Amino acid sequence: MTVFFVTGCAGFIGSRVAEMLLERGDEVVGVDNRNDAYDVVLKDWRLDRLQRFSRFRFFETDVADFEALSHVWKTGAAPYAAVYHLAARAGVRYSVTNPWVYLETNCRGTLNLLELCRASGVAKFVFASSSSVYGNVSSSGKSAFSEEMQTDAPCSPYAATKKAAESLAYSYHHLHGLDIAALRFFTVYGPAGRPDMSILRFVHGIYEGKPFRLYGDGTQSRDFTFIDDIARGVVAAAGVSGYKLLNLGGDHPFSVNTLIGMISEMIGKEPIFHRFPSHPADVDSTWADITRAKTLLGWQPVVPLREGLEKTVEWYRQNRDWAKEMKTLSDI
Ligand code: NAD
Ligand code: UGA
């Protein structure tokens, strides 16, 4: 049986990736430290779904703790067919408040996993980078970001740690021949999504008639990407050879104002929001050029924003009893 090592398996994207691997019959060794960046109730809800599979084994471990991680690595039946490294501190804005936890997990944690791969001959390393590495490369928002574009002006410590992780991974490809897929995801959303991100915050606020924050004038745009599209791309990326940077994005940006309008219409209630100045760590716009992912992975997104939002609102409706109480540490 093929065994995969998935970090961040209690997280939004990691849990869906693990689920897809399990659904197709593979074995998954999953690691997560269940931190309180947002409500652990949601992380446990996702873990419960994975625990239905006997081929899933979970270890509560910090990827930044090399000794503990090495122990899990050995216990979990290495060598693995590939590592899917999704664990990270992921909020853009909270990274301004506490950059240290980002450095620790996103850089040291990534280094630890690369070292374990090198030491035990695991050649396939797929990891989550971010559209945030592009910074404000396209301030007009009119052209899509291609992987060749400049990424040396990150707007947040979070983005800087993702750029650093890409570089670390490159050095392991160069020195030790690891095949690396560094996937730049563009604002991912969907059922069981992160409650610190815009879409779940807006769904919660509009559904419950509670105010939410709107940063800036709402004309900033994102290339929102549905979770199943992303997870499909992540799974496929273990087939990549060499070192490849790959955008995975919806390829159809929407403004935050349009997003709020769509959610409000779907739920049938008016939004109540408090205006805040634009956040200095936020970029103006994102838009993925997905030519490379199409060519190398045969990947393209298939779920349009309206359909993905309907699924997200439906998930919230079905889980509302507990989902409406979710707490977020990074309430910014
Ligand atoms: P998430 O916060 O839901 O998932 C990350 C998981 O990693 C969490 O369950 C968390 O508990 C775990 N984790 C964090 N630090 C850890 C540590 N030190 N040791 C072990 N586990 C740890 O976030 P997500 O949205 O699922 O993001 C997954 C990956 O994709 C991250 O690397 C993120 O930076 C990247 N990414 C996400 C998006 C997005 O829009 N969601 C976009 C671009 C990139
Ligand atoms: C998201 C993820 O949080 C990051 O993990 C990821 O790396 C990044 O996408 C990416 O694409 O690489 P972000 O784009 O900030 O980051 O996602 P949201 O939290 O959904 O914010 C989108 C926009 O909505 C931002 O302009 C933000 O300021 C705005 N927003 C967000 C609000 O106006 N109010 C809120 O309460 C939340």
Side-chain angles (χ1 to χ4, degrees):
M1 195 176 302
T2 313
V3 189
F4 293 97
F5 197 83
V6 179
T7 74
C9 66
F12 176 37
I13 301 172
S15 65
R16 191 68 188 104
V17 168
E19 193 172 34
M20 279 191 184
L21 294 168
L22 292 162
E23 279 166 355
R24 74 175 192 189
D26 294 323
E27 191 172 321
V28 171
V29 173
V31 168
D32 200 293
N33 70 350
R34 294 174 66 253
N35 68 54
D36 61 355
Y38 59 81
D39 207 317
V40 176
V41 170
L42 178 57
K43 297 186 180 183
D44 288 345
W45 184 88
R46 300 186 189 119
L47 280 175
D48 281 348
R49 287 170 60 89
L50 297 177
Q51 302 283 10
R52 291 173 303 159
F53 295 88
S54 57
R55 284 171 279 105
F56 175 66
R57 276 175 297 157
F58 175 62
F59 296 88
E60 185 166 335
T61 309
D62 185 342
V63 296
D65 179 342
F66 187 68
E67 207 177 312
L69 187 66
S70 305
H71 180 68
V72 168
W73 182 267
K74 287 185 200 119
T75 314
Y80 304 99
V83 168
Y84 290 100
H85 177 37
L86 287 316
R89 287 293 180 143
V92 174
R93 293 167 290 283
Y94 184 64
S95 75
V96 180
T97 308
N98 186 354
W100 292 275
V101 291
Y102 287 71
L103 187 73
E104 193 63 10
T105 289
N106 302 3
C107 297
R108 181 185 290 274
T110 302
L111 179 63
N112 287 346
L113 285 149
L114 288 164
E115 258 303 301
L116 288 170
C117 285
R118 178 200 61 75
S120 53
V122 175
K124 298 279 179 193
F125 190 78
V126 177
F127 85 101
S129 186
S130 155
S131 77
S132 65
V133 300
Y134 291 108
N136 278 317
V137 68
S138 167
S139 55
S140 70
K142 289 206 171 64
S143 58
F145 305 173
S146 85
E147 292 88 347
E148 278 92 30
M149 280 178 167
Q150 174 187 307
T151 52
D152 56 8
C155 296
S156 62
Y158 165 71
T161 62
K162 286 291 174 179
K163 179 65 186 168
E166 286 184 356
S167 301
L168 274 173
Y170 182 82
S171 70
Y172 274 70
H173 161 69
H174 172 73
L175 291 170
H176 310 296
L178 266 65
D179 290 324
I180 308 267
L183 306 175
R184 293 174 174 171
F185 306 151
F186 285 65
T187 312
V188 188
Y189 73 98
R194 275 173 35 210
D196 60 316
M197 288 178 63
S198 59
I199 291 185
L200 250 292
R201 281 181 191 268
F202 299 163
V203 169
H204 171 265
I206 294 169
Y207 208 108
E208 307 303 335
K210 292 192 171 155
F212 56 84
R213 290 180 180 209
L214 175 60
Y215 290 106
D217 63 4
T219 58
Q220 70 269 34
S221 60
R222 292 290 181 275
D223 198 3
F224 296 102
T225 318
F226 189 66
I227 180 65
D228 288 12
D229 283 333
I230 285 290
R232 193 167 39 79
V234 175
V235 169
V240 157
S241 300
Y243 176 86
K244 298 288 181 330
L245 298 168
L246 290 164
N247 290 337
L248 297 183
D251 196 21
H252 194 138
F254 287 84
S255 74
V256 168
N257 285 333
T258 304
L259 177 72
I260 293 171
M262 287 168 85
I263 297 172
S264 167
E265 183 199 309
M266 262 168 220
I267 295 176
K269 290 188 187 173
E270 285 303 309
I272 310 165
F273 48 81
H274 294 156
R275 286 191 183 277
F276 280 71
S278 295
H279 197 285
D282 274 343
V283 298
D284 299 331
S285 62
T286 65
W287 181 8
D289 177 336
I290 56 168
T291 311
R292 193 180 284 180
K294 272 186 185 162
T295 309
L296 291 181
L297 305 179
W299 179 90
Q300 61 179 20
V302 296
V303 181
L305 183 62
R306 181 167 294 279
E307 185 186 330
L309 286 178
E310 273 161 3
K311 290 184 162 132
T312 309
V313 170
E314 184 50 31
W315 176 85
Y316 183 80
R317 192 172 282 135
Q318 283 177 10
N319 294 280
R320 186 174 167 232
D321 281 358
W322 58 270
K324 70 177 185 212
E325 310 293 348
M326 281 193 291
K327 303 267 182 309
T328 301
L329 174 70
S330 50
D331 201 19
I332 47 177

